[in-house]
Amino acid sequence: RKTDVLAHEHNIEFLLQAVDKGNRIKFLGGEPTIMPEVDKFLDILIEKEYFDVPLHFTTNCTNNNKRFTDKLAKFNSIAFNYSIDGTDKVVEYIRTPVKFSTINTTVPIYNKIARFNKQNSSPDVEISFTWQAYNFFNLYDTVVWAKSHGVPARPEVLRMPEWASIRGIPFKIRKPYLEYLITTFETWNDRYSKRVLPALRHALSDEVEYHPKHLARATKRFDVARNQHIKDYIPQIWDIIQKDYDDLQVWRC
């Protein structure tokens, strides 16, 4: 079983040898904070008192179980990459059934663990924001929210699948919003804006468009399957795809 493969003694020793060469152990997903094999691996590290092993977690911040966070707090070098694609109803639409209130509660808990173990004023944390059509208009709010938690956000422009990319939003709509964002973030002139501006400038130089009908088709399929409606979550996208959305016939399987 996967649990046995990860937690097997010789595999742990192999990982620790890599750490001795200056590397750190990265836990990716799925969602590593709820994976039983990761939990068991941490137990073994704790039992062996390997508290100086540098650990790095990529997490969607949906697990703040105290039993798990207490284990993390035992280690002396913890870093987090928060995979968060928006705030409020935007992220709830993209990552159904995730609740933003849970993310908002979890981030400070992980920040405290990272700050405590790094023993400095800035935790070793960052947000990876996959920038796509659904959260195109939510980037500013996400960066403001991230800054309120002391976490820089780094946009990663989604290319595939094509229907989900920001190219599905007509350039005449993208352009003024991007220009507004660039002007706004340039006035910040801090570590938060410097993480964002390269992606914004790149997006402004990209005038390629995909027809919104492809975004409309995928969105309607999501809505039918989830028994929801995009207009209740991301009205800016609804305004763009409404005609194509209404013309589509999608049946529940």
Side-chain angles (χ1 to χ4, degrees):
R1 294 188 311 166
K2 184 185 288 187
T3 299
D4 297 328
V5 170
L6 176 63
H8 196 281
E9 187 80 15
H10 77 268
N11 287 328
I12 293 176
E13 294 303 326
F14 172 80
L15 290 171
L16 293 176
Q17 289 174 14
V19 169
D20 288 340
K21 297 176 182 177
N23 297 318
R24 58 185 176 180
I25 299 176
K26 287 190 175 184
F27 298 92
L28 305 174
E31 174 50 39
T33 68
I34 61 172
M35 294 167 65
E37 55 268 35
V38 173
D39 194 53
K40 182 175 181 179
F41 183 73
L42 292 177
D43 285 339
I44 294 172
L45 292 178
I46 292 170
E47 180 182 353
K48 291 176 173 290
E49 299 186 352
Y50 287 140
F51 300 122
D52 290 328
V53 175
L55 305 178
H56 183 278
F57 287 84
T58 295
T59 172
N60 60 22
C61 296
T62 56
N63 174 30
N64 53 42
N65 180 282
K66 189 174 185 302
R67 184 185 65 82
F68 181 78
T69 58
D70 283 349
K71 291 181 183 182
L72 295 185
K74 294 179 183 293
F75 294 89
N76 297 320
S77 181
I78 294 277
F80 293 100
N81 185 300
Y82 303 144
S83 181
I84 300 173
D85 297 327
T87 59
D88 301 305
K89 287 190 173 183
V90 174
V91 73
E92 290 179 356
Y93 187 87
I94 294 172
R95 298 212 174 194
T96 300
V98 165
K99 297 299 181 185
F100 180 64
S101 59
T102 302
I103 295 173
N104 201 36
T105 298
T106 304
V107 167
I109 294 172
Y110 286 166
N111 280 358
K112 185 176 180 181
I113 292 171
R115 179 178 290 112
F116 172 82
N117 286 285
K118 297 299 290 185
Q119 295 183 350
N120 58 33
S121 59
S122 298
D124 191 357
V125 294
E126 181 182 54
I127 289 174
S128 290
F129 179 93
T130 302
W131 203 15
Q132 56 180 283
Y134 290 132
N135 60 19
F136 177 73
F137 300 102
N138 188 236
L139 177 60
Y140 178 78
D141 288 342
T142 301
V143 176
V144 170
W145 170 79
K147 185 175 181 179
S148 73
H149 286 291
V151 185
R154 175 171 46 85
E156 299 176 346
V157 180
L158 179 72
R159 292 300 184 206
M160 298 294 292
E162 291 181 348
W163 65 261
S165 87
I166 63 176
R167 290 173 170 177
I169 298 173
F171 188 70
K172 68 179 182 181
I173 296 176
R174 274 185 274 155
K175 185 174 185 288
Y177 182 65
L178 288 168
E179 291 174 336
Y180 162 75
L181 289 180
I182 290 171
T183 301
T184 300
F185 284 123
E186 284 178 339
T187 65
W188 286 22
N189 192 31
D190 58 15
R191 71 187 184 106
Y192 301 98
S193 60
K194 289 177 181 178
R195 296 289 183 95
V196 177
L197 282 167
L200 293 176
R201 292 171 179 144
H202 175 75
L204 184 59
S205 69
D206 182 3
E207 299 184 20
V208 176
E209 296 183 3
Y210 299 137
H211 198 291
K213 67 182 180 182
H214 305 295
L215 177 60
R217 181 179 295 110
T219 301
K220 192 158 190 176
R221 287 172 176 167
F222 286 148
D223 288 352
V224 169
R226 298 171 177 174
N227 192 30
Q228 63 187 24
H229 201 295
I230 184 67
K231 67 182 178 182
D232 299 324
Y233 291 81
I234 316 175
Q236 299 99 321
I237 296 300
W238 169 242
D239 291 341
I240 294 169
I241 67 173
Q242 180 176 357
K243 181 181 183 305
D244 294 300
Y245 185 105
D246 287 339
D247 289 344
L248 289 167
Q249 295 294 325
V250 176
W251 291 271
R252 186 185 302 276
C253 294

